[in-house]
Amino acid sequence: MWRVVLAVGLGAALEALLGWLLRRRAAAPSEVIFFPSTVTCTEELLAGAPCACPLPHGESALARLLAHVLAARRSLDLCLFAFSSPQLGRAVALLHRRGVRVRLVVDADYMALRGSQIGPLRRAGIQVRHDQDSGYMHHKFAIVDKKVLITGSLNWTTQAIQANRENVLVLEDQALVNIFLAEFEKIWENYNPANYTFFCKHEKTGIENG
Amino acid sequence: MWRVVLAVGLGAALEALLGWLLRRRAAAPSEVIFFPSTVTCTEELLAGAPCACPLPHGESALARLLAHVLAARRSLDLCLFAFSSPQLGRAVALLHRRGVRVRLVVDADYMALRGSQIGPLRRAGIQVRHDQDSGYMHHKFAIVDKKVLITGSLNWTTQAIQANRENVLVLEDQALVNIFLAEFEKIWENYNPANYTFFCKHEKTGIENG
């Protein structure tokens, strides 16, 4: 008798575990978004109200990317080579106003170009850090609520969104997210303004000595 | 009695299925490679023999990327914005000589720049196709044996490898691989030289009419 109970119990336990594992796989969807995006109106996503402008109002690659970014409730960690898309800029500013903690790492050479969103976002109160290296800070990833990784070839520019062939992966694999989070934290600390050097070593020594 | 047999059998079957599922997860590893890469000698990977040059001979981000590319046995589908790294160029030429079917899609504006690997690889007999659009073919992905996806922010250039902050994801998720394969096939067909237009419409009409 105890054998029957044991075997049935074991079977049920294994079945439950198996179901959980399968659900866990199903709960970690991956999405790939290819660009260029068709031009659609994204006002409803950004302003929260229907819009009657003459642009098409359907789905688009940009609308899907915006929806993933706007899903942030607690934190948004951005590591972007170039950021000039007005729609994505509005989305990030909106999240900041909603109380989402936004941190933004960018490349120093690109952040001051015409049309860059970095100035306006800084003025809105968002923390921005940048490199001081000769190499580029060439990442293009975002981490939403420390749970979703958005990464790929796409710079957050209108040229890239509307004209280039690009890919964006949206991944909810926590192990992958953690690897990118660790890289983000490393860069964030590395680019801490306390570490910026605005003078060469010789000049600094001069000031300290003088 | 039959209940015991059924329950034990069910338990064993579930256990086997569970083990297979767990092994399947374990057999689909993801790897993230961050750049810049330390400069190491990659001769052993590319020439297959130990090297005594003065460079360090340890692991590096470039060596790991090379190892993933060199793992190709049947096919290598490349979709690259810029390709000038001599080591990656040698790896691709080596695979072609080994009989791996290499297909290479690149951006037209970057393929003829100084140091580009496209010319040498074409002369080696590798099929190359490129865009004719005003936008960039900005993807940076490779598909190894239609099973492994290598994608990220990294252009295949020495600047990117040695100086930039970059990421490369190595993913063995077949669903993701299939999505990128479909995109590759679409672009490959789209960039078929039979579709190239070397004259504007008006001129072509003139020729056809004349």
Side-chain angles (χ1 to χ4, degrees), chain A residues 1-15, chain B residues 1-16:
Chain A
M1 182 58 196
W2 64 269
R3 277 195 197 150
V4 180
V5 173
L6 186 70
V8 170
L10 184 72
L14 279 169
E15 198 178 353
Chain B
M1 184 58 193
W2 64 269
R3 276 195 197 149
V4 180
V5 173
L6 186 71
V8 170
L10 184 72
L14 278 168
E15 199 176 354

Side-chain angles (χ1 to χ4, degrees), chain A residues 35-208:
Chain A
F35 293 78
S37 180
T38 53
V39 178
T40 58
C41 173
T42 53
E43 275 307 300
E44 188 155 354
L45 276 168
L46 290 166
C51 172
C53 79
L55 283 176
H57 285 74
E59 263 298 297
S60 70
L62 174 59
R64 283 160 70 200
L65 175 58
L66 277 170
H68 283 292
V69 172
L70 286 167
R73 289 294 168 263
R74 263 174 275 191
S75 67
L76 180 67
D77 297 313
L78 296 168
C79 205
L80 297 168
F81 175 54
F83 186 0
S84 62
S85 157
Q87 290 94 334
L88 285 160
R90 276 178 67 191
V92 172
L94 183 62
L95 291 172
H96 173 68
R97 284 199 302 278
R98 282 182 190 160
V100 171
R101 188 193 177 196
V102 179
R103 295 186 294 175
L104 180 46
V105 166
V106 292
D107 183 77
D109 299 301
Y110 275 71
M111 70 181 180
L113 292 192
R114 201 162 67 94
S116 170
Q117 294 293 318
I118 306 308
L121 291 175
R122 270 191 155 146
R123 286 190 287 280
I126 289 171
Q127 273 190 291
V128 179
R129 293 185 179 180
H130 61 80
D131 67 302
Q132 281 209 314
D133 315 330
S134 56
Y136 289 124
M137 204 310 295
H138 200 246
H139 288 303
K140 312 112 176 22
F141 70 82
I143 303 167
V144 175
D145 291 337
K146 308 202 185 300
K147 278 189 190 157
V148 182
L149 172 67
I150 301 171
T151 190
S153 67
L154 184 91
N155 292 310
W156 285 20
T157 69
T158 300
Q159 150 83 24
I161 291 165
Q162 291 185 2
N164 293 358
R165 284 186 188 261
E166 308 271 5
N167 64 79
V168 166
L169 284 164
V170 182
L171 299 164
E172 292 192 39
D173 182 316
Q174 195 62 50
L176 269 180
V177 171
N178 290 346
I179 291 169
F180 274 79
L181 253 182
E183 179 73 0
F184 183 89
E185 297 292 352
K186 200 180 89 182
I187 298 178
W188 186 251
E189 201 35 54
N190 218 233
Y191 292 177
N192 187 327
N195 304 327
Y196 290 171
T197 51
F198 293 100
F199 306 100
C200 77
K201 246 192 173 122
H202 179 71
E203 280 170 327
K204 273 222 294 201
T205 311
I207 289 167
E208 281 158 23

Side-chain angles (χ1 to χ4, degrees), chain B residues 88-110:
Chain B
L88 285 160
R90 278 179 65 192
V92 171
L94 183 62
L95 290 173
H96 172 69
R97 284 200 302 278
R98 281 183 191 159
V100 171
R101 188 194 177 196
V102 178
R103 295 186 293 175
L104 180 44
V105 166
V106 293
D107 184 77
D109 299 302
Y110 275 71

Side-chain angles (χ1 to χ4, degrees), chain A residues 4 7-8 11 14-15 17-18 21-22 24-25 32 34 135-141 151-153 155 159 163-167 169 171 176 179-180 183 187 190-191, chain B residues 4 7-8 11 14-15 17-18 21-22 24-25 32 34 135-141 151-153 155 159 163-167 169 171 176 179-180 183 187 190-191:
Chain A
V4 180
V8 170
L14 279 169
E15 198 178 353
L17 184 58
L18 184 69
L21 261 177
L22 286 171
R24 214 168 62 118
R25 278 187 78 85
V32 184
F34 289 115
Y136 289 124
M137 204 310 295
H138 200 246
H139 288 303
K140 312 112 176 22
F141 70 82
T151 190
S153 67
N155 292 310
Q159 150 83 24
N164 293 358
R165 284 186 188 261
E166 308 271 5
N167 64 79
L169 284 164
L171 299 164
L176 269 180
I179 291 169
F180 274 79
E183 179 73 0
I187 298 178
N190 218 233
Y191 292 177
Chain B
V4 180
V8 170
L14 278 168
E15 199 176 354
L17 184 59
L18 185 67
L21 261 178
L22 287 170
R24 212 170 63 118
R25 278 187 78 85
V32 184
F34 289 115
Y136 290 123
M137 204 311 294
H138 200 245
H139 287 303
K140 313 114 178 12
F141 70 82
T151 190
S153 68
N155 291 310
Q159 151 81 24
N164 293 357
R165 286 188 187 260
E166 306 272 6
N167 64 79
L169 284 164
L171 299 164
L176 269 181
I179 291 169
F180 275 79
E183 178 73 359
I187 298 178
N190 218 233
Y191 293 177

Side-chain angles (χ1 to χ4, degrees), chain B residues 5-204:
Chain B
V5 173
L6 186 71
V8 170
L10 184 72
L14 278 168
E15 199 176 354
L17 184 59
L18 185 67
W20 174 79
L21 261 178
L22 287 170
R23 277 194 305 278
R24 212 170 63 118
R25 278 187 78 85
S30 298
E31 187 180 350
V32 184
I33 310 175
F34 289 115
F35 293 76
S37 181
T38 53
V39 177
T40 59
C41 174
T42 52
E43 276 305 302
E44 189 156 352
L45 276 166
L46 291 165
C51 172
C53 79
L55 283 176
H57 284 74
E59 262 299 295
S60 70
L62 174 59
R64 283 160 68 200
L65 175 58
L66 277 170
H68 282 292
V69 171
L70 287 166
R73 289 293 166 266
R74 261 174 278 189
S75 67
L76 180 66
D77 297 314
L78 296 167
C79 204
L80 297 169
F81 175 55
F83 187 178
S84 61
S85 157
Q87 291 94 333
L88 285 160
R90 278 179 65 192
V92 171
L94 183 62
L95 290 173
H96 172 69
R97 284 200 302 278
R98 281 183 191 159
V100 171
R101 188 194 177 196
V102 178
R103 295 186 293 175
L104 180 44
V105 166
V106 293
D107 184 77
D109 299 302
Y110 275 71
M111 69 181 181
L113 293 190
R114 201 161 67 94
S116 170
Q117 293 294 315
I118 305 308
L121 291 175
R122 271 192 155 146
R123 285 190 288 278
I126 289 172
Q127 272 191 291
V128 179
R129 294 186 179 180
H130 60 80
D131 67 303
Q132 280 208 319
D133 316 329
S134 56
Y136 290 123
M137 204 311 294
H138 200 245
H139 287 303
K140 313 114 178 12
F141 70 82
I143 303 167
V144 175
D145 290 337
K146 308 203 185 299
K147 278 187 189 159
V148 182
L149 172 66
I150 301 173
T151 190
S153 68
L154 185 91
N155 291 310
W156 285 21
T157 69
T158 300
Q159 151 81 24
I161 291 165
Q162 291 185 4
N164 293 357
R165 286 188 187 260
E166 306 272 6
N167 64 79
V168 167
L169 284 164
V170 183
L171 299 164
E172 291 192 40
D173 181 317
Q174 194 62 50
L176 269 181
V177 170
N178 290 347
I179 291 169
F180 275 79
L181 253 181
E183 178 73 359
F184 183 89
E185 297 293 352
K186 200 180 89 181
I187 298 178
W188 185 252
E189 201 34 55
N190 218 233
Y191 293 177
N192 187 328
N195 303 329
Y196 290 171
T197 51
F198 293 99
F199 306 99
C200 76
K201 245 190 175 127
H202 179 70
E203 281 170 326
K204 272 218 299 196

